[in-house]
Amino acid sequence: TEIPVFILGNGPSLDQGIELIKEIRDQVLLISCGSTINTLSKLGITPDIHVDIERMKQTADKFLFLDKEYLDKIWGLTVDVMHPEFFEYFKRSGMGMKPGEAITSLILMQARAQGDDTTYVQLNYCNPIVANLALSYVHLFGFNNVYYMGVDNGFKDKDNHHSVHSGYYKDGK
């Protein structure tokens, strides 16, 4: 489909696109990655989908700072190695299989033992960062008009490592 998809990370370049996101919000599909959801909430922007890939409890704990009504509007998507509390925060959520993980092998082995010979989709290329998982879902869903914003994968300036609106800064510092 040709609907524009914005994959949003929490890097410094997100700050340059905030006004554009607000201006065209109703014309695009917004996907937040990881800690970006907290920044977007602070800025009054609600993504359509939120993705997370890191399995530790802190991944789910960041939702404690967000209103339930805010999260109820968002689809939560992840993979089968996610902390179980992730799913408690979203009214609608989904989980894909992450290739090479023990749990993926166990799920498939149990399905086969039950006589299920369905070919299940595995989200190849969902690593190493959460934006890769977002792109894996975008590809699976058939979107092909994709833009990255805030997905910087590093930084040149140690004082400019995330969006200044993120929780990594206090008062922009």
Side-chain angles (χ1 to χ4, degrees):
T1 179
E2 292 301 315
I3 297 169
V5 177
F6 282 26
I7 296 176
L8 305 176
N10 211 6
S13 69
L14 178 64
D15 297 336
Q16 299 162 11
I18 291 169
E19 292 310 312
L20 174 64
I21 293 168
K22 288 179 177 181
E23 182 181 323
I24 63 171
R25 172 61 191 100
D26 295 334
Q27 302 165 39
V28 300
L29 180 74
L30 288 184
I31 302 176
S32 69
C33 297
S35 63
T36 311
I37 194 167
N38 299 81
T39 301
L40 295 176
S41 174
K42 184 178 179 181
L43 295 169
I45 299 169
T46 304
D48 299 292
I49 297 171
H50 174 74
V51 296
D52 260 310
I53 197 164
E54 295 178 356
R55 62 187 91 195
M56 63 243 181
K57 185 167 180 341
Q58 291 88 337
T59 298
D61 286 348
K62 72 176 164 282
F63 304 122
L64 291 168
F65 304 99
L66 300 173
D67 293 330
K68 182 181 179 342
E69 298 79 35
Y70 178 77
L71 291 171
D72 282 351
K73 300 173 190 170
I74 302 167
W75 282 78
L77 295 177
T78 188
V79 289
D80 53 5
V81 293
M82 179 50 62
H83 193 280
E85 288 181 17
F86 173 90
F87 303 97
E88 295 173 13
Y89 291 96
F90 296 94
K91 193 181 272 188
R92 300 164 299 177
S93 60
M95 174 181 73
M97 290 191 200
K98 186 176 178 185
E101 291 288 342
I103 191 66
T104 299
S105 298
L106 181 63
I107 290 169
L108 292 173
M109 185 177 69
Q110 287 298 313
R112 301 300 177 253
Q114 300 297 318
D116 182 351
D117 61 353
T118 304
T119 301
Y120 289 95
V121 174
Q122 295 188 42
L123 295 169
N124 296 314
Y125 317 113
C126 64
N127 281 328
I129 63 171
V130 68
N132 290 77
L133 176 59
L135 186 60
S136 291
Y137 272 115
V138 165
H139 175 73
L140 177 66
F141 296 155
F143 292 98
N144 53 30
N145 192 4
V146 182
Y147 301 88
Y148 285 105
M149 201 174 291
V151 181
D152 300 319
N153 297 328
F155 47 91
K156 295 179 185 177
D157 178 356
K158 67 182 173 100
D159 295 325
N160 191 21
H161 46 81
H162 285 83
S163 165
V164 295
H165 302 285
S166 74
Y168 295 100
Y169 292 93
K170 181 177 169 106
D171 299 324
K173 297 179 182 167

